[in-house]
Amino acid sequence: MSLERRRFQDRSEQAEALAGQVAADLSAAIDAGESASLAVPGGSTPAAFLSALGKEELAWDRVCVTLTDERWVPASSPRSNQRLLQERLLASGAKPRVLPLYRAGLDPDRGLSALAAGLEEILPLDVCVLGMGEDRHTASLFPGADRLALALSDAAPPVLALSAPAAGELRVSLTAPVLRAARKTYLLISGPAKLAALESALVPGPLEEAPVRCVLGGPGPVTLFYAP
């Protein structure tokens, strides 16, 4: 498992540093291929990073941003990761093309084919920023999820609907092959409990017990951005 570690004094410094790094990666991707793709997580930890990223100066009209995962709720819901993206990244001034992981008026199974078609246009991701829970889930790949084995397999479709006791609402998530194939991967976590969970995930074991292992054991390096 290849993990580069970067530790910061506080979460503000962490957010600014990751925003600068991601912006540099996106600019390099645009220079190399005229466009760039980015996947970002939801939840409370990425909020400061998304605000900082939105203030970075780059050719946002050439960037497509999607989410690593989403609750199957409309953007008007306070539980929506899409809403967080709007309130943080877009509100800070960035104007990328946004590829949501929710389709109003459709159930996930009917909407997934449309979502997958949109995703295939931007894969492989140039940059993927992931979070991780204390249960060692990443994206919405939760231990105990009903379709976790498929989501972690090499045969997984790009996006999958999953249910899990710890997940609350039905979730839609990018799957392991998509996450592993990203050209640049960053893991954004804060607090000693999550750091301890990560250390345990770095010990070899079943993917289903610690789904974050699907990227930690991937073909490319992962860079940890950690703050207490």
Side-chain angles (χ1 to χ4, degrees):
M1 294 183 178
S2 177
L3 182 70
E4 178 186 346
R5 298 171 183 257
R6 296 187 63 183
R7 184 184 178 105
F8 301 90
Q9 292 184 350
D10 56 45
R11 299 183 188 188
S12 176
E13 183 184 40
Q14 174 197 42
E16 294 289 341
L18 181 56
Q21 182 63 64
V22 169
D25 292 339
L26 294 174
S27 292
I30 291 168
D31 290 343
E34 298 186 355
S35 63
S37 55
L38 166 68
V40 296
S44 57
T45 301
F49 153 67
L50 291 172
S51 292
L53 181 61
K55 298 173 185 175
E56 293 284 341
E57 294 187 7
L58 68 152
W60 281 110
D61 59 327
R62 297 185 181 183
V63 178
C64 181
V65 179
T66 192
L67 294 154
T68 60
D69 62 312
E70 179 61 284
R71 300 172 177 89
W72 199 256
V73 297
S76 58
S77 169
R79 298 277 289 167
S80 168
N81 289 341
Q82 177 71 20
R83 179 171 176 170
L84 175 69
L85 197 63
Q86 294 170 351
E87 293 178 345
R88 292 289 184 160
L89 181 71
L90 304 186
S92 293
K95 302 298 180 186
R97 179 165 73 94
V98 176
L99 185 63
L101 291 187
Y102 170 80
R103 291 295 179 97
L106 295 177
D107 61 64
D109 287 333
R110 291 180 60 197
L112 286 182
S113 59
L115 294 175
L119 282 167
E120 286 171 357
E121 295 178 4
I122 65 168
L123 297 180
L125 294 166
D126 289 301
V127 184
C128 182
V129 179
L130 290 164
M132 188 201 69
E134 293 179 21
D135 62 356
R136 301 179 293 183
H137 83 269
T138 194
S140 279
L141 307 180
F142 285 86
D146 59 347
R147 304 171 80 182
L148 182 61
L150 174 58
L152 293 172
S153 75
D154 291 340
V159 62
L160 196 64
L162 303 99
S163 296
E169 303 92 340
L170 183 70
R171 302 290 185 100
V172 173
S173 181
L174 301 186
T175 57
V178 172
L179 301 179
R180 284 197 299 262
R183 295 185 174 99
K184 297 282 187 176
T185 303
Y186 300 101
L187 185 60
L188 174 65
I189 65 172
S190 299
K194 288 189 177 182
L195 184 60
L198 175 62
E199 298 294 354
S200 69
L202 289 168
V203 177
L207 290 180
E208 290 84 357
E209 291 181 2
V212 72
R213 286 178 177 142
C214 76
V215 289
L216 295 174
V222 176
T223 303
L224 171 67
F225 276 65
Y226 172 75

